[in-house]
Each structure stands twice: as structure tokens, then as C-alpha cells.
Amino acid sequence: MAPNWTLQLHSLSFQPYVWVRKPPALSAISQLGIGSKWDGIRYGHLNCNSDRSRIGGNFVVKSGEGSASTDSGGNVEGDEIVLKSGTGSVASEDYIGKMQEMIISSPPGVFLMNKCTRNGLAIGFCVVTACLAIVARVYLMRKSRNSHSGSVADLVRRGQLRSDRRGISKPLKYNDPFNNPLVKVDKSNSSVEMCGKVYRLAPVTLTKEEQNIHQKRRSRAYQWKRPTMFLKEGDSIPPDVDPDTIRWIPANHPFATTASDIDEDLAQNNVYQKHGVPFRIQAEHEALQRKLEALQSDQKLNNLFIDPGSVKEFERPFKSKSKSDEQVEQSSSDHQTGESKPPNSFGGQSSSDEAQKS
Amino acid sequence: MRSLHLLPNPFFFNSFHSKTLTSPIPNPKFLPKSPSFTPIKSVLQWNRKPELAGDTPRVVVITSGKGGVGKTTTTANVGISLARLGFSVVAIDADVGLRNLDLLLGLENRVNYTVVEVLNGDCRLDQALVRDKRWSNFELLCISKPRSKLPIGFGGKALVWLVDALKARQEGCPDFIIIDCPAGIDAGFITAITPANEAILVTTPDITSLRDADRVTGLLECDGIRDIKMMVNRVRTDMIKGEDMMSVLDVQEMLGLALLGVIPEDSEVIRSTNRGYPLVLNKPPTLAGLAFEQAAWRLVEQDSMTAVMVEEEPKKRGFFSFFGG
């Protein structure tokens, strides 16, 4: 199926300006190979569309001006000259030849075509090189990823671990803060370079005698005894205490208080304690234990009197939850009636434990 | 003696006079030629660990009198520096009302128990110690929680007990116990200085801070703490050069204390505080971080500075500096 060519010629005096839509196809224009595939070329007012392949072999030349300046003999229908090239007539060959000449005679297009063909090799080389580079990069990345899989460096990379805050502490690069790449004292000792800045040095002139003079001055100026007793305002001074060693703490002091619910010896023991349960935790635990024992003993007594329903429970220490719920309800009802049975389920469990012991 | 250690120079030690920046700096080149003068020569011992001087544990209180001069920053950085040098350190935040040391160290989420809970018997001492994961030989102990009141009926005895308990620990006595003292001379100050046998006085080169520092030094001396060294913080050499700020030598002349360190003003201090990451751990090290490390080194060796940085000099350019060399 041959394409239908349409040439719309406003005037045959073609201007040399060229707008090339698809440069590689320009080479085909010069030959006007019928049946070749191109999307469309606009050359001045020349439209060549291969999409218009409606009629096989029709080649339509349109003159926009009405003055048929085509000097070849052809069918003139008003302003339109229709040439049928499907039959391979001589007139169409003339037109094609002229058009070839016309296109070839337009220098910019030809230059573009020639340049494109010349640069084709270079462009191809660049494309191939880029593809090779991409492939190499992907390969290297995969290789490096595989080599570090599962290391701590991955955690640092993922942000889960900070490289500078890792538990593994790195040793110092240098042992000496006075001699390292950032601190340099010059040979004459008159200047030091720290962090890229040079500072002039001056020797310290303070002597021991002057230090003693300052100490004496201060000892005269500041007479002070460290307070050893802290009293709240309004407290009475103990009889055998030097008043100078008392510090008065206001009742509304923001962070200090003289009140303490723990005595001195106990606090000292608490500080010195190395092992075991801390004092207060143990005291609370013991108090809870005592309370529990009291509750258990009460329940034991209760079990002696009223426990006909829980005989089955003694047989089965691991009772089901429903039973325990029932017992909770029962115990709560008992509790409400004024009996001192423990209201929760651990009383029942302890009774079962005791039953196991017995 | 560490870097910047000048050999005892009779010229300098016998002629004590006010050294301001306008006065000529005693550069060895311009010193008068005298038979007793020996050129300044450093006795540097590179690439060795500092030798711990004194009996362990060294209980050091870091105090200032005035607030906001950098006590907590100094405690954090000196403490971490000591830990990096291989010494075991326990830092006690005795700033009862305004506790901040945990924030500077980035350990604020790990403080569950404090000394108040230890005293009350809610936990043991080892449970209240927060071990730093970065340097496992550094531990933090806070006195109390911000909104709780410290029962100071025992006075400073509680801290003395703490020090005794730390001495008797199974894992061994710590080398350093550093106490971050609260500002002022209130009950917190008295509590903090009680167990200490040496002190670091942090001051800035301004007159308000110096007056408070002098007063606090007097109180420390009255309490029997004789080993007091000072650290001058937030020093700006450009302002010293323009005579808008007292020089370190001026500060030393006013207080008469040995110098443990001079910390230049550094914007990295604020950044490190925001990060909860002490300055001395910064990579690359910063100017203030290096100064803190040097101070920690001197603290270990019970040393003091013998030369101070006074002003910045233009850097000498080499022949190839034009080409970026």
C-alpha cells in the first residue's frame, strides 16, 4: 500500500528556513522513498504525512496561491494538481525529481543531515558507554551490599545506631592533648597553634608567695564555719551547738527541707548497702507479707467453719476460671455479709496451697 | 609537667607585676640579657598517659559562686576527658535545685533513681549510678529529682557516706569523684563541698564573676580545702586584644590561684549542649574541647599552667601558601 503524499505549495519560491522535526528522516526526504515510515516532515509549507495512506500511490500537490506555478503538464483541478503516481507515470517522476533537487538544494537541512550522520557514531558510542557504566555501577553496588550484609555498619546506615554513640568506645587517636595534629607549640615556646589559629603565649607570673598573700587576705576577709546543723526557722537551738555552725532553712525553701521521715543511722545503712533488697522495698514487702499472712490465717479460720462448697476445690487445685469467678462472687457476697473472708481469688488459691501442704 | 611548661625562670618569678595586654609580653627574644635568664624551654613528654597524682579517690568539687559561668559544662567535659584517659570517674550532680549535668551528658532519660531514693532505701547506690554507654568508666549520680526536696537534715554527711560507699565498692574505688556544685553559697553549696578535698573554681573574666569567685575561694579555704585551682572560661582573645576583657593573667593576679585551664569562647559549646554530647568527644576536636582535655590532664597530674594564650597572632604563611600550601 503506497502512501498518499500531499504537497501544499503556497509558492514554489522556497525560503531557506527549515524546521526539522525528525532529523534522521531527512535522509529519506531526499530520496522520497515510497513506503518508508516517517511520522511527518514539515519543510516550509511542504507537508508529507505517511499517515495519510488512504489511497495507494496518490501524490497530491497543492498550491495555496492558486497560481499554478508548477510548470509541468498535469491535471489541473482548480488550485489542486493531482498526480497519480501509482501507475508510475513520467510526470510524477519529474515532480519527484524536482522535489528531490529542491530539497537537496536547500543547504541547512543537508548540513543537518550530514552532521547527524557524522555524529551518529559518536552518539552511539556515548550511549553504549553510559549503558556500560550503569551496568558496572549496579554490579558494584550489588556486590558491596552482599559483602556487608548483616554487619553493624548496616544498622548505622539505616539510622538505627549512631556511629558516634556506639557502645564500643574507640580509643584516643593520641594520648597527648598537648601534642597532636591540632595542637603544636613552636620551638621557641612563644606561640601555640591550636585548631589552625596561632596564639601568642605569655608565662604565668604567680608565685607561691603571692598565693600565700592572697590566702591570708581571704582568711582575714571571710570568717566562716561550715554549718553542720540545719534547722527550720522556729526550731530551738540545741544547747551544745555552736550557733555559727547552724544554717537556718526557711520552710518554703525551693529544694531543701529539714524534715525527713528516716533517721540518720538508717540513711547511712541504706547508702552503704551493697547487696540485697533496698530497705524500703523490703519493709514494704514485709508489711505486705504480714498482711497477707494475716489474711491467710483469717481465711484458714474461715475455712474451718464455712467451707463445705470448696471441698471440690481442694481436690482440684488448678480450678477453672469459671469456678474461680464463682468463688470471687461468693467471697464478695460473704464479704458483704460481714464475714472476713478475703475478697479476691488469691485467698482461695492460698487455701488450696495450704490444703496441698496439709 | 605538661606542655607549655616553662622551666623555672627567676626573671619571671622574682618580678611579679601586673601583666596587662598593653604591657610588653615577655617574649624570650626581647627579654633583657641577664646571667640568670635561661630561655624558655619546654619539657614536653609526648605520647604517654598522665600519671595520677594523689590518693584515690580524688574528690574534686567544681564550684564558682556565680551562676552561668560553666560549672556543669566543665564537670561534663573534664569528667569525660578523665574517662577517656582511662580513669574511672563518678560525677555527682549536687546541683539540687537546677540539675543539668544529665542533660549535658545526654543521660537524662536514664536517671531513674537519685541519692534521695538511696537515702530513703528505695534503691541501692549501685542502682542509682548511671553508667555512660560511650565510656563505661564514667558514671553519673544525681542528688535529687528536679521537683523533689533534698532532706538536708544530715547536712553534707550524706555525700561523705556516698564517697565512703564508693570507696568500698566491689569493682574498685573510683579514681575521681567530681562534684558539680550549685551556684551560690546556700545549703546546696555547703552540702557539695563537704566531702571534697580539692576544688576547681570556674570563673569568667568579668568582675562580677571574680568577686563571687574570690568569696567562694575564701569559704573553701575556711572549710579546709587548700588545693584550689581555677579555670577561666569563655575567654575571647579578640576582646582581650582590644582591652575589652580582662586577660587571664589579670584574673590570676586578682584571685591569686593556680591556673588549671583556660577555655576559649566557642560556639560549639552550645551545640554540644543541645546534642547532649560533651564537647571533648567532638570530631574533629574543637578549640574549647582541646582546652578541656588539657585541663583534665593537668588535673590528673596535679599540675597547673605555666603559660597562657594571650592573643591571636596572624598565621605565618609559607612560600607555597599562595598555591594553597
Side-chain angles (χ1 to χ4, degrees), chain A residues 70-355:
Chain A
T70 52
D71 51 352
S72 63
N75 292 329
V76 179
E77 296 177 0
D79 292 339
E80 199 171 18
I81 301 168
V82 178
L83 301 174
K84 292 192 175 179
S85 63
T87 57
S89 64
V90 181
S92 66
E93 283 177 1
D94 289 341
Y95 275 106
I96 288 169
K98 281 189 177 180
M99 198 170 70
Q100 281 179 350
E101 287 174 5
M102 184 174 66
I103 290 169
I104 288 168
S105 65
S106 59
V110 173
F111 286 148
L112 270 175
M113 284 187 298
N114 290 336
K115 281 180 185 175
C116 288
T117 50
R118 283 172 191 167
N119 291 335
L121 278 176
I123 291 167
F125 178 74
C126 289
V127 168
V128 169
T129 309
C131 289
L132 281 175
I134 289 167
V135 169
R137 187 169 175 272
V138 168
Y139 173 72
L140 287 175
M141 281 178 68
R142 280 185 185 171
K143 194 178 177 184
S144 64
R145 203 178 297 158
N146 292 334
S147 64
H148 293 294
S149 60
S151 70
V152 185
D154 283 335
L155 289 176
V156 175
R157 198 179 304 128
R158 289 165 56 197
Q160 301 290 331
L161 201 63
R162 282 182 60 176
S163 59
D164 53 349
R165 279 198 177 184
R166 287 176 58 185
I168 311 157
S169 54
K170 292 176 184 174
L172 281 174
K173 289 282 176 62
Y174 52 87
N175 280 329
D176 200 335
F178 302 94
N179 182 23
N180 58 67
L182 290 168
V183 181
K184 289 169 189 169
V185 185
D186 72 338
K187 290 173 186 173
S188 64
N189 243 352
S190 61
S191 64
V192 61
E193 184 180 345
M194 288 178 74
C195 295
K197 293 179 181 176
V198 180
Y199 295 94
R200 196 150 51 86
L201 290 176
V204 169
T205 54
L206 188 71
T207 60
K208 283 283 176 192
E209 291 78 21
E210 283 161 4
Q211 285 193 37
N212 291 333
I213 290 168
H214 276 284
Q215 276 188 6
K216 283 176 188 169
R217 173 183 63 80
R218 278 192 288 263
S219 66
R220 282 195 302 272
Y222 310 117
Q223 301 288 332
W224 187 66
K225 282 182 182 174
R226 177 155 52 86
T228 53
M229 178 164 284
F230 296 89
L231 293 177
K232 193 172 63 181
E233 287 174 351
D235 288 350
S236 59
I237 303 173
D240 54 343
V241 173
D242 184 4
D244 288 343
T245 60
I246 292 176
R247 189 83 179 186
W248 296 97
I249 303 295
N252 61 349
H253 196 284
F255 56 82
T257 176
T258 55
S260 177
D261 55 347
I262 194 164
D263 67 333
E264 191 172 324
D265 293 335
L266 199 55
Q268 190 174 3
N269 288 334
N270 289 337
V271 174
Y272 287 156
Q273 185 179 5
K274 290 180 187 171
H275 307 289
V277 185
F279 164 74
R280 191 180 287 256
I281 305 293
Q282 184 148 14
E284 287 175 359
H285 179 76
E286 285 172 358
L288 206 64
Q289 192 76 25
R290 280 196 295 273
K291 190 178 175 185
L292 186 63
E293 284 172 2
L295 289 171
Q296 283 174 348
S297 63
D298 287 345
Q299 195 188 13
K300 199 172 181 181
L301 290 173
N302 288 333
N303 283 341
L304 289 177
F305 295 113
I306 41 158
D307 219 358
S310 64
V311 176
K312 289 176 184 174
E313 293 170 5
F314 286 170
E315 292 170 356
R316 292 183 64 190
F318 300 105
K319 56 197 173 185
S320 64
K321 190 183 177 184
S322 59
K323 282 187 179 178
S324 68
D325 292 341
E326 285 172 8
Q327 197 198 1
V328 168
E329 288 172 5
Q330 187 185 357
S331 62
S332 62
S333 62
D334 290 342
H335 188 66
Q336 284 171 359
T337 54
E339 292 175 2
S340 61
K341 196 172 180 180
N344 49 11
S345 61
F346 72 77
Q349 194 177 354
S350 63
S351 62
S352 63
D353 292 341
E354 285 180 2

Side-chain angles (χ1 to χ4, degrees), chain B residues 103-180:
Chain B
L103 277 175
L104 256 76
L105 292 165
L107 300 174
E108 68 272 13
N109 292 328
R110 296 185 54 209
V111 179
N112 291 322
Y113 296 121
T114 62
V115 172
V116 173
E117 278 85 32
V118 176
L119 289 170
N120 287 335
D122 289 327
C123 69
R124 295 190 311 271
L125 176 60
D126 59 315
Q127 292 172 317
L129 286 165
V130 180
R131 189 178 293 275
D132 196 326
K133 287 180 180 175
R134 294 164 295 203
W135 296 97
S136 59
N137 48 354
F138 182 89
E139 286 168 305
L140 172 70
L141 179 65
C142 294
I143 283 277
S144 69
K145 288 178 177 171
R147 281 180 288 278
S148 66
K149 285 192 174 186
L150 175 70
I152 57 167
F154 319 129
K157 289 178 190 170
L159 279 185
V160 176
W161 300 335
L162 281 174
V163 171
D164 289 341
L166 289 171
K167 275 184 194 174
R169 277 204 306 180
Q170 274 187 335
E171 52 262 46
C173 171
D175 297 316
F176 284 91
I177 297 174
I178 301 177
I179 303 171
D180 183 22

Side-chain angles (χ1 to χ4, degrees), chain A residues 177-178, chain B residues 1-4 50 53 58 82 85 229 259-262 290-307:
Chain A
F178 302 94
Chain B
M1 187 93 50
R2 295 305 310 147
S3 168
L4 320 184
R58 302 254 308 264
L82 292 172
L85 292 171
K229 292 191 176 71
L259 261 173
L260 186 72
V262 176
L290 284 168
F292 275 123
E293 281 188 340
Q294 293 175 353
W297 190 292
R298 291 188 197 102
L299 179 68
V300 172
E301 298 198 332
Q302 289 189 333
D303 197 0
S304 59
M305 291 180 81
T306 51

